[in-house]
Amino acid sequence: QKEVEQNSGPLSVPEGAIASLNCTYSDRGSQSFFWYRQYSGKSPELIMSIYSNGDKEDGRFTAQLNKASQYVSLLIRDSQPSDSATYLCAVNIFGNEKLTFGTGTRLTIIP
Amino acid sequence: ETGVTQSPTHLIKTRGQQVTLRCSSQSGHNTVSWYQQALGQGPQFIFQYYREEENGRGNFPPRFSGLQFPNYSSELNVNALELDDSALYLCASSLELAGDPNEQFFGPGTRLTVL
């Protein structure tokens, strides 16, 4: 079982709709969770971090964390073509220095 | 606020050679982490430097080594390059505070090609 799993996609969503990206993790000691956006040929850009169960909203983005079920998700409302990218889920275990990444989900917003 | 910078942007080497990649951390950050990202994969943790000491290492052989300088900038050195070392090398900086989960911010990366 991979430490962090994501559906590789591609996920296609019409412009203006809600894009839903999911991530599961295996280590129950995981404490910090991050979503990065990576455009083709570029480096990852941090868009959301979440540490507690529940929802965290930032503009059009909402991160959801459920530690009991060991999943974290990212919702993008009013999807725009500029949201087309690969979204990486990353997990950090408390006291551990590294981020463990999933392989990413490729999202395409269709105009 | 100055972001994370890396040099060079691109590099082409041949098998067996050595390479040094450089990273300047974001202003106010004291920790640098290095990651390797192969095509179609998520970044893989190589190691982290905090207060000029290695603060954790991933599953990479000893020919991957690093340094951190007093100004928190860092170098990644790779000896005896292999074809599989071809990848995007990412540096991420963060502010290490005891007990705090830290957000890591990536530089633009160095694309290494080994022929």
Side-chain angles (χ1 to χ4, degrees), chain A residues 70-106:
Chain A
Q70 294 177 246
Y71 85 77
V72 57
S73 63
L74 179 70
L75 301 177
I76 307 174
R77 289 182 301 282
D78 188 24
S79 296
Q80 303 296 311
S82 60
D83 295 326
S84 297
T86 295
Y87 289 80
L88 295 162
C89 171
V91 172
N92 177 254
I93 299 170
F94 182 75
N96 191 321
E97 60 290 334
K98 73 176 185 178
L99 291 179
T100 301
F101 285 83
T103 55
T105 297
R106 189 155 55 93

Side-chain angles (χ1 to χ4, degrees), chain B residues 55-74:
Chain B
N55 185 42
R57 188 180 183 92
N59 293 325
F60 281 82
R63 58 190 186 85
F64 286 77
S65 63
L67 286 173
Q68 187 181 34
F69 300 98
N71 66 354
Y72 306 122
S73 66
S74 177

Side-chain angles (χ1 to χ4, degrees), chain A residues 40-86:
Chain A
S40 181
K42 302 295 185 182
S43 64
E45 173 193 8
L46 179 66
I47 54 173
M48 289 288 287
S49 57
I50 186 166
Y51 311 115
S52 304
N53 278 328
D55 295 359
K56 179 182 178 183
E57 187 174 317
D58 183 1
R60 296 187 297 111
F61 298 98
T62 299
Q64 299 174 317
L65 175 60
N66 184 323
K67 289 186 178 180
S69 300
Q70 294 177 246
Y71 85 77
V72 57
S73 63
L74 179 70
L75 301 177
I76 307 174
R77 289 182 301 282
D78 188 24
S79 296
Q80 303 296 311
S82 60
D83 295 326
S84 297
T86 295

Side-chain angles (χ1 to χ4, degrees), chain A residues 31-32 34 36 38 41-46 48-49 51 56 88 92 94 96-104, chain B residues 33 35 37 40-45 48 55-57 88 90 99-109 111:
Chain A
Q31 294 284 329
S32 309
F34 306 90
Y36 286 83
Q38 186 172 27
K42 302 295 185 182
S43 64
E45 173 193 8
L46 179 66
M48 289 288 287
S49 57
Y51 311 115
K56 179 182 178 183
L88 295 162
N92 177 254
F94 182 75
N96 191 321
E97 60 290 334
K98 73 176 185 178
L99 291 179
T100 301
F101 285 83
T103 55
Chain B
S33 304
Y35 293 81
Q37 187 177 24
Q41 301 297 314
Q44 297 292 314
F45 176 74
Q48 183 183 85
N55 185 42
R57 188 180 183 92
L88 180 65
L90 296 161
D100 267 5
N102 55 80
E103 296 176 332
Q104 297 187 15
F105 297 89
F106 285 91
R111 173 74 61 186

Side-chain angles (χ1 to χ4, degrees), chain B residues 36-56:
Chain B
Q36 179 195 67
Q37 187 177 24
L39 205 59
Q41 301 297 314
Q44 297 292 314
F45 176 74
I46 303 175
F47 42 56
Q48 183 183 85
Y49 278 84
Y50 170 61
R51 292 185 176 178
E52 302 177 54
E53 298 281 337
E54 187 177 286
N55 185 42

